[in-house]
Amino acid sequence: MTKRWMRSVLAAAGVLVLVLTPVAVRAQEAAGYDGYVRDGSCAEPGQDLHVDLAGGGSHDIEPYRAGDTVLGYYGAPQVPGFGIGAIYTGQRFSLVLTEGEREVACGDLLQPEEDRFGRAGLAVAQLLPVGAAGVHGVAVLERTRLQRELDIVPTRARILVSNGAVTPPAQPENGYNAHIKGGTCQAPSGPIRLDLPGEGTFDVTPYRAETGPGRSATLAYVGSPPVPGFALATAYTGQDFSLTISDPTGETTACGDILRPDSDAFVEAGRALVLLTPTGSAGTPGYAVVQRVGMQRELDVTPTRVSIILFAAPAV
């Protein structure tokens, strides 16, 4: 595994809690979600550990609005006192999302099947609804990169939650590729096409985790490729851009328009959330976070990176 690939993975990491999608359409828009990590699994919770996520706003995960439409819910809170290495101890842990006092989603923190994710300090949790809450998402937990002693919390969680129904494809894929094009998904325009240079065969690859002795499952498809030649500020010029996902055969499986957020908090952070809507019967739902890259002693020369998460069938 190259150092460049490691930097790509870590750039999308942190303790990132992305609440990606409620399985059922919610009757009323949520103001946001909060969360915590506990010992035990979702099916058999423990009583000894409770670590609240430390978000910077009113909630750990907040709605992302573009043009008065809620595309989904996003948050990147810290997880004080919890290190990614804990999932390799044999002790079970789970991540719980709440709305008010009610638990709405839960995901087990499982050891990845591939060593490359472990070496990168990355873990993915598939968030499934609790009861009739209808909240389904994905959380990406990442080891925090220390920067001159500014970061003292070892883990961050990025969470995405969708505001609509989600039907992941039943047939697994080896991976997906992506590109940015001019125009919208419905009306492409001009010759602009920027392929995302992933480190491997695919820009987005399956994250498989051990679900039991001799058993594993794909929890989601994740990737964080750079976007050479594209700056997020371009989306504010009046020109339309969209992000397209394709399968190994080159067939388009999802597309999402890159829309300007209504909240200044997202603008100032240099971040845009893209709702990836499935195309065709084998379409792949998900989200992408287009974000400005923090320059680090001239190591990063590409100003923008796209963190992509695609849903997989529930691992139950």
Side-chain angles (χ1 to χ4, degrees):
M1 179 177 61
T2 66
K3 292 183 179 179
R4 183 182 172 192
W5 183 91
M6 181 76 75
R7 289 199 301 270
S8 298
V9 172
L10 290 176
V15 174
L16 160 71
V17 178
L18 304 177
V19 177
L20 295 175
T21 54
V23 169
V25 178
R26 301 182 62 81
Q28 183 177 1
E29 176 187 316
Y33 301 95
D34 295 304
Y36 63 90
V37 172
R38 69 184 177 196
D39 63 315
S41 65
C42 294
E44 298 179 353
Q47 303 293 327
D48 297 328
L49 177 71
H50 182 111
V51 178
D52 288 322
L53 305 184
S58 300
H59 298 281
D60 297 326
I61 303 109
E62 299 185 323
Y64 182 99
R65 296 182 178 87
D68 297 325
T69 299
V70 175
L71 301 184
Y73 296 81
Y74 175 87
Q78 295 177 337
V79 189
F82 183 81
I84 290 293
I87 67 175
Y88 295 90
T89 64
Q91 171 71 45
R92 300 295 296 271
F93 298 95
S94 52
L95 174 63
V96 180
L97 297 187
T98 62
E99 185 180 2
E101 300 297 323
R102 183 173 62 120
E103 295 184 1
V104 295
C106 183
D108 292 333
L109 303 181
L110 304 173
Q111 182 175 329
E113 190 176 56
E114 296 187 45
D115 290 341
R116 62 189 177 114
F117 290 109
R119 291 195 296 268
L122 182 72
V124 173
Q126 187 180 62
L127 299 170
L128 299 177
V130 173
V135 176
H136 185 178
V138 173
V140 180
L141 277 74
E142 330 170 289
R143 183 174 57 231
T144 301
R145 180 184 298 171
L146 295 177
Q147 298 181 10
R148 298 182 181 180
E149 299 182 357
L150 293 179
D151 294 319
I152 58 176
V153 176
T155 312
R156 181 172 299 280
R158 300 184 189 275
I159 302 173
L160 276 170
V161 171
S162 166
N163 202 29
V166 173
T167 305
Q171 184 65 33
E173 289 285 359
N174 294 325
Y176 296 89
N177 288 312
H179 68 268
I180 289 177
K181 64 185 179 184
T184 65
C185 294
Q186 298 299 322
S189 63
I192 299 176
R193 178 188 168 107
L194 300 173
D195 290 320
L196 308 187
E199 293 299 319
T201 305
F202 301 103
D203 299 325
V204 188
T205 57
Y207 180 96
R208 295 186 61 82
E210 299 174 3
T211 58
R215 294 185 290 112
S216 64
T218 298
L219 304 186
Y221 296 86
V222 297
S224 183
V227 193
F230 183 81
L232 188 55
T234 310
Y236 296 84
T237 62
Q239 169 70 45
D240 292 326
F241 294 93
S242 52
L243 175 65
T244 298
I245 306 296
S246 58
D247 65 15
T249 68
E251 181 179 355
T252 297
T253 60
C255 185
D257 294 333
I258 302 176
L259 303 175
R260 178 174 179 170
D262 292 345
S263 171
D264 289 340
F266 287 102
V267 175
E268 293 168 359
R271 184 179 297 125
L273 182 66
V274 180
L275 170 62
L276 296 170
T277 303
T279 59
S281 58
T284 310
Y287 282 89
V289 180
V290 184
Q291 52 193 8
R292 185 174 58 232
V293 173
M295 303 296 286
Q296 297 183 12
R297 299 182 182 180
E298 300 182 356
L299 292 179
D300 295 318
V301 296
T302 300
T304 311
R305 189 173 296 277
V306 180
S307 298
I308 301 171
I309 295 181
L310 304 176
F311 292 100
V316 294

